[in-house]
Amino acid sequence: MPGGRLTIEDRQHIAAGLAEGLGYTEIGQRLGRPASTIMREVTRNGGPDTYGSDRAHEATQHRARRRRQAQPPTPHVPDSGHGRDPQAVQDLTESFTALLEQQGLPRMVARVLTCLYITDSGTLTSADLVKRLRISPASVSHAVTFLEQQGLLQRERAPGVRHERYVIDDEVWLRTTLASLQMNDALAAASQRAAEILGVATPAGARFDTSAEFLLLVSESLRKVTEQWPRNMAARSARREQ
């Protein structure tokens, strides 16, 4: 997914697209950006009827200045003894968080996931996250609940230990891919059923029939990936033992 903040030129293209009556998806395709990025940009700057590129750019810069003034500086991620450059780790943290945001995660959720991901243990408590990210326990709770629902982390509590620990492991993307596969299968089945009800010879029925074909192809590809991944992991373990 393309990175970087929107430039004044990007915003001018957005304004021009809106003037042409284009949708967010079409504008995003022109800019190489997700439709969700275009939607957030337009929504936070007056909506499609009043969006102006210069005003939106100035407002965004103003919001950024206010955030820098209002928030304390983000603490550096401490070097864990592996000879890492703390500044390089901090830059990685910020860029990875921004990438997750562009994928559609809320900012607080992206910060929590990144914090867990760059931790060698892959395990932190709520208190750890509050301290590292300088956020409230409630913010941690909301973010953790969201991530757990998406299969991106797990909760665990050792016997006799009061506090929960939030865990991210090597299977995180496998679990979320399996969840996506399940949803994709459901959409494919629903599209096939819709095509039967509406009739594949009709425009609406044909649309659903085409969608079902595409979704089934996606499911097939995802299923191959999830079947191949355990073999890759086994081969990796074997190489480490040699």
Side-chain angles (χ1 to χ4, degrees):
M1 198 68 71
R5 301 181 184 278
L6 291 171
T7 65
I8 182 62
E9 290 78 14
D10 291 332
R11 292 188 166 95
Q12 288 170 347
H13 284 300
I14 291 173
L18 292 172
E20 293 178 41
L22 300 181
Y24 297 138
T25 299
E26 294 172 291
I27 297 173
Q29 289 172 346
R30 287 187 175 185
L31 294 177
R33 301 269 186 166
S36 58
T37 298
I38 308 303
M39 181 181 69
R40 286 195 297 270
E41 164 68 15
V42 174
T43 301
R44 71 162 61 103
N45 289 291
D49 295 331
T50 60
Y51 182 84
S53 57
D54 292 338
R55 185 172 64 254
H57 196 68
E58 183 178 342
T60 300
Q61 290 180 321
H62 179 67
R63 285 193 293 267
R65 286 193 296 269
R66 288 184 59 185
R67 282 197 298 269
R68 286 194 294 269
Q69 293 169 357
Q71 296 179 354
T74 304
H76 286 302
V77 177
D79 186 359
S80 63
H82 293 281
R84 296 170 179 144
D85 177 0
Q87 184 59 54
V89 176
Q90 181 61 34
D91 292 342
L92 167 65
T93 301
E94 294 175 356
S95 63
F96 196 76
T97 299
L99 178 61
L100 292 176
E101 283 189 86
Q102 291 170 7
Q103 300 294 322
L105 287 183
R107 175 162 178 77
M108 192 61 66
V109 173
R111 292 184 67 199
V112 169
L113 180 57
T114 299
C115 191
L116 273 164
Y117 215 98
I118 67 171
T119 304
D120 284 311
S121 66
T123 304
L124 294 171
T125 65
S126 176
D128 293 331
L129 289 165
V130 166
K131 182 178 180 180
R132 292 181 181 221
L133 299 176
R134 298 184 181 180
I135 58 179
S136 69
S139 295
V140 171
S141 178
H142 290 312
V144 165
T145 298
F146 182 95
L147 290 168
E148 186 180 30
Q149 291 172 344
Q150 301 300 314
L152 292 170
L153 63 72
Q154 296 175 310
R155 299 174 191 251
E156 66 178 30
R157 179 178 289 163
V161 176
R162 177 183 176 186
H163 299 294
E164 285 184 329
R165 302 184 70 84
Y166 310 128
V167 182
I168 188 171
D169 56 26
D170 293 341
E171 301 298 313
V172 56
W173 298 117
L174 176 60
R175 285 194 301 274
T176 192
T177 300
L178 287 171
S180 297
L181 175 58
Q182 186 176 20
M183 176 58 71
N184 201 75
D185 284 342
L187 286 171
S191 296
Q192 286 179 315
R193 178 61 177 157
E196 293 173 1
I197 293 172
L198 297 172
V200 294
T202 68
R207 187 180 308 120
F208 274 105
D209 190 49
T210 301
S211 298
E213 182 178 352
F214 175 79
L215 291 167
L216 288 170
L217 184 62
V218 171
S219 286
E220 181 182 353
S221 298
L222 288 176
R223 198 165 281 110
K224 288 180 180 178
V225 170
T226 59
E227 292 170 354
Q228 178 64 39
W229 181 242
R231 295 194 287 270
N232 286 14
M233 292 298 289
R236 176 177 293 192
S237 296
R239 289 195 299 270
R240 288 175 177 173
E241 293 172 0
Q242 291 176 353

